[in-house]
Amino acid sequence: GHTVVYDLDDSTIAGLHISSGATLKFEPSQSALLQSSKNIVVEGLLEMKPADQKVVHYIRFININESAVVGLGHMVLDTDIGLWVINSGRLNLVGSPKKSWTNLLGSASAGSNSITLKETPANWAAGDELVVCPTSGIDGLGRTGTIPLFERFTIKEVSGSTVNLSGALVYVQPAGSDKQWTAEVLNLERNVKIEGTVGGKAHIFVKSAVPQTLKFVGLRHMGPKRENIGRYGIHFHHCMN
């Protein structure tokens, strides 16, 4: 029945149960990381709503043994570590608004350390992670690769619609003759994050009778053992209306 405000820079727990009528609320004005080696089960309310984009709210599941994941069914299992929202549980996860993706203004050359976008990207900032999607498999030496790569960078600086990158493009990104079809550029940075780890993927499972709110949330290292049904990165299961 209580509201608990979480305002620690970093702490590690061995699981958490937010019971019906209770709230765990991340302090809106302060960045906070909560790591858990066991399940977080929500029957009350979990709220992560940073006051501005400089504040980061972060849940990371650690020490997961993916080979122990059982999968299937909708009962909370100690082996299947992740974020479980059950019965009347509710997520209110709202990150700061950010332009999720846009396109290049035209073509881009291999070796370039900057790109120009079709628009000024809202709330893109230095340190954000970008992905430039491929429009060809041709590298800077004119060699054609068999599989075009999605190129990842961090932003060094944003000036209007020009973005300076942490590295140089490896591939040529041609545009159509009318410049209508150009490479997509994705911004993966969010200031509300739910994650596993590289070697231990977590999951979110929602089987709740109330609506959920997720906006501008980053999910990473989620969805353990793909051959196991029902442990997707995020799974809304039998939520009725």
Side-chain angles (χ1 to χ4, degrees), residues 1 4 11 25 33 54 66 83 88 98 107 113 133 185 207 209 213-214 222:
V4 174
S11 66
K25 176 181 180 180
L33 167 62
K54 294 181 180 180
E66 285 192 56
L83 179 61
S88 59
K98 181 187 291 284
S107 60
N113 291 90
C133 301
V185 181
K207 186 177 184 293
T213 301
L214 293 89
M222 305 289 275

Side-chain angles (χ1 to χ4, degrees), residues 12-215:
T12 300
I13 58 174
L16 176 68
H17 181 206
I18 304 170
S19 61
S20 179
T23 296
L24 178 64
K25 176 181 180 180
F26 278 55
E27 168 56 49
S29 63
Q30 182 173 334
S31 293
L33 167 62
L34 179 62
Q35 299 192 109
S36 181
S37 60
K38 299 293 182 182
N39 285 318
I40 294 178
V41 181
V42 181
E43 292 189 83
L45 170 64
L46 172 62
E47 182 169 286
M48 303 165 74
K49 293 181 65 176
D52 60 60
Q53 63 179 351
K54 294 181 180 180
V55 176
V56 180
H57 291 169
Y58 203 160
I59 289 176
R60 180 191 294 135
F61 292 94
I62 60 173
N63 301 333
I64 294 174
N65 179 6
E66 285 192 56
S67 65
V69 174
V70 175
L72 302 176
H74 53 258
M75 303 298 293
V76 177
L77 300 175
D78 290 341
T79 52
D80 297 19
I81 295 171
L83 179 61
W84 300 75
V85 185
I86 59 174
N87 299 327
S88 59
R90 183 162 69 93
L91 299 177
N92 190 20
L93 311 182
V94 182
S96 297
K98 181 187 291 284
K99 182 70 177 177
S100 298
W101 67 277
T102 185
N103 293 79
L104 294 180
L105 178 62
S107 60
S109 301
S112 176
N113 291 90
S114 67
I115 53 177
T116 302
L117 307 175
K118 282 188 174 180
E119 58 190 314
T120 299
N123 294 327
W124 287 22
D128 286 3
E129 183 180 4
L130 297 188
V131 170
V132 179
C133 301
T135 56
S136 81
I138 303 171
D139 67 15
L141 298 177
R143 298 174 298 189
T144 300
T146 55
I147 302 177
L149 297 180
F150 291 80
E151 300 192 63
R152 289 176 179 256
F153 304 95
T154 55
I155 293 176
K156 290 183 67 176
E157 183 184 23
V158 180
S159 178
S161 60
T162 299
V163 179
N164 294 328
L165 306 172
S166 59
L169 289 168
V170 173
Y171 289 92
V172 179
Q173 303 294 345
S177 58
D178 58 1
K179 295 188 178 181
Q180 180 178 357
W181 310 112
T182 60
E184 293 95 346
V185 181
L186 321 178
N187 189 315
L188 304 186
E189 196 65 38
R190 301 292 182 269
N191 65 340
V192 172
K193 304 180 183 184
I194 310 292
E195 300 189 353
T197 60
V198 173
K201 295 181 179 66
H203 67 98
I204 298 176
F205 184 94
V206 181
K207 186 177 184 293
S208 173
V210 299
Q212 311 294 311
T213 301
L214 293 89
K215 297 181 180 181

